[in-house]
Amino acid sequence: MSDVQVVKTVLVRHDLAYAAMHDVGEAMLSAYGYRTTRGEGRHEAVALSCS
């Protein structure tokens, strides 16, 4: 997390934020018994669960 302040480009900041959101979303869904590791639509399912 200390490296986040060093990142200057918007694209890299977006990618870092998306990756963090995706990891947290997968962890939350997994905690409730949902599988997010395979299959179509998994990125959409994770994103929708975080919105």
Side-chain angles (χ1 to χ4, degrees):
M1 292 301 291
S2 62
D3 292 336
V4 172
Q5 296 175 352
V6 180
V7 178
K8 301 285 187 217
T9 65
V10 174
L11 183 59
V12 174
R13 286 183 180 191
H14 175 270
D15 288 346
L16 288 172
Y18 178 82
M21 181 274 306
H22 193 271
D23 290 348
V24 169
E26 278 189 336
M28 288 173 40
L29 288 173
S30 179
Y32 285 99
Y34 293 98
R35 292 181 59 203
T36 59
T37 56
R38 292 190 177 173
E40 292 185 29
R42 69 181 185 266
H43 289 281
E44 182 179 3
V46 171
L48 288 174
S49 71
C50 291
S51 61

